[in-house]
Amino acid sequence: MTKYHRNHVGSLVLDRTGGGNFRRWPAFSGSAFRRKIIDTMRCGVSRYRREEESGLRSREEKLQVPDLKRNGRSERLSDLLNLTGSESGSDDVEAETRRKVEVFEELRGVVKRLQFEDGAQRDAAMEVRRLAKDDSDSRVTLAMLGAIPPLVGMIDSDEVDFQISSLYALLNLSIGNEMNKKAIVEAGAIHKMLKLIESKTIPPPVSEAIVANFLGLSALDSNKLIIGSSGAIPFLTNIFQNLEKNISSQAKQDSLKALFNLSISPSNIPHIIESGLVPFLISTLGDMQVSERVLSILSNVVSTSGGRKALGNSGDAFPILVDVLNWTDSPGCQEKSSYILMVMAHKAYGDRTAMIEAGIVSALLELTLLGSTLAQKRASRILECLRVDKGKQVSEGYSGVSAPLCGSSSSCNEVARRGLKEGVEEVEDEDMMSTERRAVKQLVQQSLQDNMNRIVKRANLPQDFAPSDHFKSLTATSTSKSLPL
């Protein structure tokens, strides 16, 4: 009887019990043998297991030889490289975590030393000043760890070094951080700084540190009213006016910037007026280092009725502001000065009269030719106000003339309306004007002609330029037309 069994090479062996000859028959076809080789190259993964996992694949897909490389690497090599990269990234994350922990421990140690009341506290304040100078994260962390209250408490120290160290540490903590600015004010820093100011023996370095803190803290809107009502404005005014001795130019610049920040709040304008700052600001116009910022403060001051009154009561205000309109090399100053004059001209007739007496008409006409776009628009707005006044004067002049001179009462009214519409155009007859008024008219015309010749020369206009026609087109705009600021 014949028996058969499978050997380890995958063949069937026929055996005869009678001890006869046997013959070996292959159990696989050629395709099956190829699949066996592929399975071996796949590190021994069984074909039958793959069939179980992907039972939806067709027989042809099973017989295809897989791509043994992916992007020039074997699959196993790619897995190893990915594993190595993940381990390297993990090392970087761990190193970064260790660094952050070390920084946190350092900051916590610094804040802990601030609780001492000896030289270690001063050294800790200096360390806070160094750490918070250029690192925004350290500012946040130090504030969260509680560095602000002990630093504010150090302002009361009798030692100048302690005061300076704490003030500059607070200054650096407030840089670019609104939460810290608010926390410093809430901790009572304003009151303690003003207490130092009240002492007559405050050293200049401490004054400069206080000015720098007022500048930084006043940048936050919620702090403006607190600082302005606390009594800091007179101190800043004295610093800017150089009433304090041995104050650096940087402190004066900082005080001016702090005053500008405070002037943004209308509630602080009365305190600025009471400090006597407005006349001094006007007197400083001409110094190009501070003129533009001074004009910015005055622009905020004229936003209130009290500020306009204070500016109008300053004797030299309008001549100086009109002179600024001629600063062709400083467009920013021209724009701010024209804004101040425009607001003043819209609010009070007496101010318009003072402007005309200061020679504003010729300066405005020149500004409409040579100024920036914004300055030209504002100059046109002021000219509109002056044309309205001129029209009113014409109508009032005709209201008192008898009927035979004008022909009839209705003709007088028509002349008055025409005067209001045409503005600066003359509608009075020469015979109707007194000798004095004719003389005044001739003087005004001569002044305008001289100014026009100067403007044409400065603007390099062509020789055939007709000034009268140009000004007629400028002033022919209807008084009801509104131009943007």
Side-chain angles (χ1 to χ4, degrees), residues 18 42 89 105 109 120-121 166 177 183 194 228 241 290 308 316 325 355 368 382 384 414-415 465 478:
R42 283 187 169 184
E105 292 296 333
Q121 188 180 30
S166 62
N177 193 306
L194 290 175
Q241 292 179 351
V290 299
R308 292 191 292 271
D316 297 334
L325 297 179
M355 294 178 192
T368 56
I382 301 173
E384 285 184 17
E414 178 64 25
V415 172
F465 176 75
S478 175

mmCIF file of all heavy atoms in Angstrom, residues 18 42 89 105 109 120-121 166 177 183 194 228 241 290 308 316 325 355 368 382 384 414-415 465 478:
data_model
loop_
_atom_site.group_PDB
_atom_site.id
_atom_site.type_symbol
_atom_site.label_atom_id
_atom_site.label_comp_id
_atom_site.label_asym_id
_atom_site.label_seq_id
_atom_site.Cartn_x
_atom_site.Cartn_y
_atom_site.Cartn_z
ATOM 1 N N GLY A 18 6.166 -1.730 0.309
ATOM 2 C CA GLY A 18 6.909 -2.929 -0.090
ATOM 3 C C GLY A 18 8.361 -2.686 -0.287
ATOM 4 O O GLY A 18 9.065 -3.601 -0.707
ATOM 5 N N ARG A 42 9.761 39.229 2.294
ATOM 6 C CA ARG A 42 9.001 40.087 3.189
ATOM 7 C C ARG A 42 9.207 39.711 4.648
ATOM 8 O O ARG A 42 8.376 39.981 5.504
ATOM 9 C CB ARG A 42 7.514 40.020 2.861
ATOM 10 C CG ARG A 42 7.118 40.814 1.622
ATOM 11 C CD ARG A 42 5.629 40.840 1.484
ATOM 12 N NE ARG A 42 5.208 41.791 0.468
ATOM 13 C CZ ARG A 42 3.950 42.073 0.189
ATOM 14 N NH1 ARG A 42 3.005 41.451 0.875
ATOM 15 N NH2 ARG A 42 3.636 42.927 -0.746
ATOM 16 N N GLY A 89 13.461 64.577 18.682
ATOM 17 C CA GLY A 89 12.509 65.611 19.015
ATOM 18 C C GLY A 89 12.102 65.565 20.475
ATOM 19 O O GLY A 89 11.921 66.599 21.114
ATOM 20 N N GLU A 105 12.441 78.840 38.227
ATOM 21 C CA GLU A 105 13.027 78.765 39.565
ATOM 22 C C GLU A 105 13.880 79.998 39.860
ATOM 23 O O GLU A 105 13.892 80.515 40.986
ATOM 24 C CB GLU A 105 13.864 77.496 39.689
ATOM 25 C CG GLU A 105 13.049 76.205 39.660
ATOM 26 C CD GLU A 105 12.095 76.106 40.849
ATOM 27 O OE1 GLU A 105 12.396 76.699 41.899
ATOM 28 O OE2 GLU A 105 11.060 75.435 40.720
ATOM 29 N N GLY A 109 13.082 82.691 42.807
ATOM 30 C CA GLY A 109 14.088 83.036 43.811
ATOM 31 C C GLY A 109 14.288 84.532 43.934
ATOM 32 O O GLY A 109 14.474 85.064 45.037
ATOM 33 N N ALA A 120 19.961 92.512 50.160
ATOM 34 C CA ALA A 120 19.470 91.506 49.225
ATOM 35 C C ALA A 120 18.236 92.001 48.487
ATOM 36 O O ALA A 120 18.011 91.657 47.312
ATOM 37 C CB ALA A 120 19.178 90.206 49.965
ATOM 38 N N GLN A 121 17.399 92.786 49.134
ATOM 39 C CA GLN A 121 16.208 93.324 48.485
ATOM 40 C C GLN A 121 16.572 94.282 47.357
ATOM 41 O O GLN A 121 15.983 94.241 46.280
ATOM 42 C CB GLN A 121 15.339 94.042 49.521
ATOM 43 C CG GLN A 121 13.980 94.469 48.993
ATOM 44 C CD GLN A 121 13.169 95.180 50.045
ATOM 45 O OE1 GLN A 121 13.740 95.831 50.923
ATOM 46 N NE2 GLN A 121 11.855 95.079 49.976
ATOM 47 N N SER A 166 13.959 100.305 42.681
ATOM 48 C CA SER A 166 12.556 99.887 42.609
ATOM 49 C C SER A 166 11.819 100.607 41.487
ATOM 50 O O SER A 166 11.007 100.002 40.773
ATOM 51 C CB SER A 166 11.870 100.142 43.948
ATOM 52 O OG SER A 166 11.883 101.523 44.266
ATOM 53 N N ASN A 177 3.056 96.112 28.682
ATOM 54 C CA ASN A 177 2.187 95.187 29.414
ATOM 55 C C ASN A 177 1.116 95.997 30.146
ATOM 56 O O ASN A 177 1.389 96.619 31.173
ATOM 57 C CB ASN A 177 3.012 94.356 30.405
ATOM 58 C CG ASN A 177 2.238 93.183 30.970
ATOM 59 O OD1 ASN A 177 1.158 93.349 31.505
ATOM 60 N ND2 ASN A 177 2.789 91.991 30.847
ATOM 61 N N ALA A 183 -1.743 97.054 37.431
ATOM 62 C CA ALA A 183 -1.414 96.503 38.750
ATOM 63 C C ALA A 183 -0.503 97.442 39.535
ATOM 64 O O ALA A 183 -0.633 97.566 40.756
ATOM 65 C CB ALA A 183 -0.751 95.136 38.584
ATOM 66 N N LEU A 194 4.238 110.558 44.387
ATOM 67 C CA LEU A 194 3.902 111.941 44.715
ATOM 68 C C LEU A 194 4.387 112.311 46.108
ATOM 69 O O LEU A 194 4.742 113.472 46.366
ATOM 70 C CB LEU A 194 2.394 112.137 44.616
ATOM 71 C CG LEU A 194 1.812 112.096 43.201
ATOM 72 C CD1 LEU A 194 0.302 112.185 43.245
ATOM 73 C CD2 LEU A 194 2.378 113.205 42.343
ATOM 74 N N GLY A 228 -3.751 112.209 36.247
ATOM 75 C CA GLY A 228 -4.031 113.631 36.075
ATOM 76 C C GLY A 228 -4.650 114.270 37.306
ATOM 77 O O GLY A 228 -4.333 115.422 37.641
ATOM 78 N N GLN A 241 9.387 122.864 32.212
ATOM 79 C CA GLN A 241 9.790 124.270 32.238
ATOM 80 C C GLN A 241 11.193 124.464 32.804
ATOM 81 O O GLN A 241 11.651 125.596 32.904
ATOM 82 C CB GLN A 241 8.794 125.071 33.079
ATOM 83 C CG GLN A 241 7.429 125.183 32.457
ATOM 84 C CD GLN A 241 6.460 125.954 33.332
ATOM 85 O OE1 GLN A 241 6.752 126.273 34.473
ATOM 86 N NE2 GLN A 241 5.286 126.266 32.789
ATOM 87 N N VAL A 290 10.641 120.294 19.863
ATOM 88 C CA VAL A 290 9.443 120.079 20.678
ATOM 89 C C VAL A 290 8.190 120.685 20.058
ATOM 90 O O VAL A 290 7.086 120.450 20.572
ATOM 91 C CB VAL A 290 9.646 120.652 22.098
ATOM 92 C CG1 VAL A 290 10.800 119.964 22.790
ATOM 93 C CG2 VAL A 290 9.860 122.156 22.061
ATOM 94 N N ARG A 308 -9.981 126.565 24.899
ATOM 95 C CA ARG A 308 -10.034 127.618 23.881
ATOM 96 C C ARG A 308 -9.960 129.002 24.521
ATOM 97 O O ARG A 308 -9.332 129.913 23.982
ATOM 98 C CB ARG A 308 -11.319 127.476 23.054
ATOM 99 C CG ARG A 308 -11.352 126.241 22.179
ATOM 100 C CD ARG A 308 -12.513 126.287 21.204
ATOM 101 N NE ARG A 308 -13.794 126.183 21.908
ATOM 102 C CZ ARG A 308 -14.412 125.045 22.198
ATOM 103 N NH1 ARG A 308 -13.843 123.878 21.864
ATOM 104 N NH2 ARG A 308 -15.588 125.029 22.809
ATOM 105 N N ASP A 316 0.054 136.406 22.670
ATOM 106 C CA ASP A 316 0.845 136.129 21.472
ATOM 107 C C ASP A 316 0.433 134.845 20.771
ATOM 108 O O ASP A 316 1.139 134.380 19.867
ATOM 109 C CB ASP A 316 2.328 136.038 21.840
ATOM 110 C CG ASP A 316 2.858 137.355 22.391
ATOM 111 O OD1 ASP A 316 2.282 138.400 22.030
ATOM 112 O OD2 ASP A 316 3.831 137.323 23.177
ATOM 113 N N LEU A 325 2.172 128.677 10.276
ATOM 114 C CA LEU A 325 1.621 128.318 8.966
ATOM 115 C C LEU A 325 2.620 128.520 7.842
ATOM 116 O O LEU A 325 2.469 127.931 6.752
ATOM 117 C CB LEU A 325 0.358 129.147 8.687
ATOM 118 C CG LEU A 325 -0.827 128.941 9.635
ATOM 119 C CD1 LEU A 325 -1.966 129.856 9.237
ATOM 120 C CD2 LEU A 325 -1.276 127.488 9.632
ATOM 121 N N MET A 355 -7.320 136.818 14.557
ATOM 122 C CA MET A 355 -6.554 136.142 13.506
ATOM 123 C C MET A 355 -6.327 137.063 12.315
ATOM 124 O O MET A 355 -5.224 137.089 11.734
ATOM 125 C CB MET A 355 -7.299 134.879 13.061
ATOM 126 C CG MET A 355 -7.401 133.800 14.109
ATOM 127 S SD MET A 355 -8.363 132.385 13.499
ATOM 128 C CE MET A 355 -8.623 131.491 15.035
ATOM 129 N N THR A 368 -2.813 127.444 0.885
ATOM 130 C CA THR A 368 -3.633 126.750 -0.103
ATOM 131 C C THR A 368 -2.850 126.436 -1.372
ATOM 132 O O THR A 368 -3.266 125.579 -2.161
ATOM 133 C CB THR A 368 -4.860 127.597 -0.471
ATOM 134 O OG1 THR A 368 -4.420 128.886 -0.925
ATOM 135 C CG2 THR A 368 -5.781 127.757 0.722
ATOM 136 N N ILE A 382 -10.966 127.624 7.164
ATOM 137 C CA ILE A 382 -10.815 128.907 7.875
ATOM 138 C C ILE A 382 -11.234 130.068 6.968
ATOM 139 O O ILE A 382 -11.896 131.018 7.412
ATOM 140 C CB ILE A 382 -9.364 129.081 8.358
ATOM 141 C CG1 ILE A 382 -8.970 127.937 9.300
ATOM 142 C CG2 ILE A 382 -9.195 130.417 9.076
ATOM 143 C CD1 ILE A 382 -7.509 127.942 9.701
ATOM 144 N N GLU A 384 -13.441 129.982 4.706
ATOM 145 C CA GLU A 384 -14.903 129.989 4.666
ATOM 146 C C GLU A 384 -15.475 130.796 5.830
ATOM 147 O O GLU A 384 -16.411 131.583 5.662
ATOM 148 C CB GLU A 384 -15.442 128.558 4.715
ATOM 149 C CG GLU A 384 -15.299 127.800 3.416
ATOM 150 C CD GLU A 384 -15.938 126.428 3.504
ATOM 151 O OE1 GLU A 384 -16.743 126.204 4.430
ATOM 152 O OE2 GLU A 384 -15.647 125.594 2.650
ATOM 153 N N GLU A 414 -31.078 142.501 -1.923
ATOM 154 C CA GLU A 414 -30.442 141.705 -2.973
ATOM 155 C C GLU A 414 -28.935 141.890 -2.969
ATOM 156 O O GLU A 414 -28.163 140.946 -3.132
ATOM 157 C CB GLU A 414 -31.017 142.112 -4.336
ATOM 158 C CG GLU A 414 -30.383 141.372 -5.515
ATOM 159 C CD GLU A 414 -30.658 139.891 -5.446
ATOM 160 O OE1 GLU A 414 -31.671 139.497 -4.821
ATOM 161 O OE2 GLU A 414 -29.859 139.124 -6.001
ATOM 162 N N VAL A 415 -28.490 143.110 -2.755
ATOM 163 C CA VAL A 415 -27.058 143.376 -2.687
ATOM 164 C C VAL A 415 -26.443 142.657 -1.498
ATOM 165 O O VAL A 415 -25.345 142.099 -1.569
ATOM 166 C CB VAL A 415 -26.799 144.897 -2.614
ATOM 167 C CG1 VAL A 415 -25.327 145.176 -2.343
ATOM 168 C CG2 VAL A 415 -27.214 145.550 -3.914
ATOM 169 N N PHE A 465 0.754 134.057 -14.902
ATOM 170 C CA PHE A 465 -0.191 133.629 -13.861
ATOM 171 C C PHE A 465 -0.974 134.848 -13.371
ATOM 172 O O PHE A 465 -0.396 135.901 -13.092
ATOM 173 C CB PHE A 465 0.571 132.984 -12.697
ATOM 174 C CG PHE A 465 -0.306 132.593 -11.546
ATOM 175 C CD1 PHE A 465 -1.124 131.486 -11.632
ATOM 176 C CD2 PHE A 465 -0.305 133.339 -10.376
ATOM 177 C CE1 PHE A 465 -1.924 131.116 -10.570
ATOM 178 C CE2 PHE A 465 -1.100 132.980 -9.312
ATOM 179 C CZ PHE A 465 -1.917 131.868 -9.408
ATOM 180 N N SER A 478 -19.201 128.098 -2.298
ATOM 181 C CA SER A 478 -20.357 128.447 -1.480
ATOM 182 C C SER A 478 -20.095 128.214 -0.027
ATOM 183 O O SER A 478 -19.408 127.267 0.367
ATOM 184 C CB SER A 478 -21.557 127.586 -1.913
ATOM 185 O OG SER A 478 -22.662 127.833 -1.060
#
